[in-house]
Amino acid sequence: MKLSDWARQQGISSITAWRWFRAGKLPVPARQLPTGTILVEAPRSEGTTVLYARVSSADQKEDRERQVQRLQAFAQEQGWTEVTVVTDIGSGVNGKRKKLLRILRDPQVVRIVMEHRDRLARFGCDVLEAALAASGRHVVVIEDGDVTDDLVHDVLDIRTSACGRRYGRRSARHRARQALEAMGCG
């Protein structure tokens, strides 16, 4: 790629990039052609692909393992070589999942692959995807149909989270369902 194109991608002026090249301070390998054009070498690594499988509770271990198998088969079909599997247990409403936050912070992760969009988060997936895209990274969803993303399920998830904080995690889902049934939504 031309030095000016590389500079534009990095958000710096082409003159600054040219000065860095002349001073030997350009952070990427580059060479000058006999015509004077400076070419920046493309990085050799494509980056890491993370296969992200999440379930809501520990008793769904078999579901999590099936998710991992399907994600691995998909990655192999795509020809992705640098693949890391990350599994998580926790609510999609919870924004403090340490493993997910570690993935989102890692600049070496170029794509996050998951089975359904709600594995990433119940709410705000569009915002997360836009933030990742701004840094040249993206989310790949295998099953793009929103299986459980209707309003009743979203209300159930919010209610479960609130009940879990108040009554404890063990009976949260049962109490949330009772509350929805009492409201006439269940």
Side-chain angles (χ1 to χ4, degrees):
M1 130 180 2
K2 287 185 176 182
L3 182 64
S4 58
D5 295 335
W6 177 84
R8 194 175 312 113
Q9 281 184 348
Q10 302 305 311
I12 60 173
S13 75
S14 55
I15 304 235
T16 300
W18 181 79
R19 286 182 185 143
W20 288 355
F21 176 76
R22 286 286 175 218
K25 295 181 181 179
L26 198 63
V28 293
R31 61 186 169 92
Q32 189 167 17
L33 300 177
T35 60
T37 303
I38 299 171
L39 294 179
V40 174
E41 302 293 325
R44 287 181 167 66
S45 174
E46 68 175 30
T48 303
T49 297
V50 171
L51 308 178
Y52 183 70
R54 180 189 63 79
V55 291
S56 298
S57 62
D59 62 340
Q60 296 174 314
K61 187 175 183 177
E62 293 86 21
D63 293 339
R64 186 181 64 197
E65 293 306 316
R66 283 191 295 270
Q67 276 184 51
V68 169
Q69 290 171 358
R70 288 187 293 266
L71 291 169
Q72 287 174 329
F74 180 79
Q76 189 174 14
E77 288 172 12
Q78 302 302 313
W80 296 326
T81 55
E82 285 188 52
V83 176
T84 303
V85 176
V86 176
T87 61
D88 214 350
I89 299 173
S91 171
V93 177
N94 183 359
K96 297 179 183 176
R97 287 176 276 147
K98 290 180 183 178
K99 291 180 182 180
L100 177 61
L101 292 174
R102 192 174 314 126
I103 293 168
L104 295 172
R105 288 183 183 127
D106 187 354
Q108 297 302 315
V109 174
V110 294
R111 76 181 63 85
I112 303 170
V113 184
M114 65 202 65
E115 219 174 20
H116 297 283
R117 183 166 267 104
D118 69 346
R119 298 296 91 196
L120 183 61
R122 287 289 183 183
F123 308 104
C125 283
D126 297 334
V127 173
L128 284 172
E129 288 182 47
L132 288 169
S135 63
R137 303 157 62 194
H138 60 280
V139 174
V140 177
V141 180
I142 296 176
E143 301 284 332
D144 205 16
D146 291 333
V147 181
T148 60
D149 236 0
D150 62 10
L151 184 59
V152 173
H153 289 283
D154 290 344
V155 170
L156 177 63
D157 288 333
I158 292 170
R159 187 74 180 154
T160 300
S161 179
C163 288
R165 287 191 181 108
R166 180 168 182 167
Y167 303 114
R169 301 282 180 217
R170 187 172 179 199
S171 65
R173 182 158 297 277
H174 177 68
R175 289 182 187 259
R177 286 184 200 266
Q178 284 179 336
L180 283 176
E181 287 172 4
M183 292 180 350
C185 296

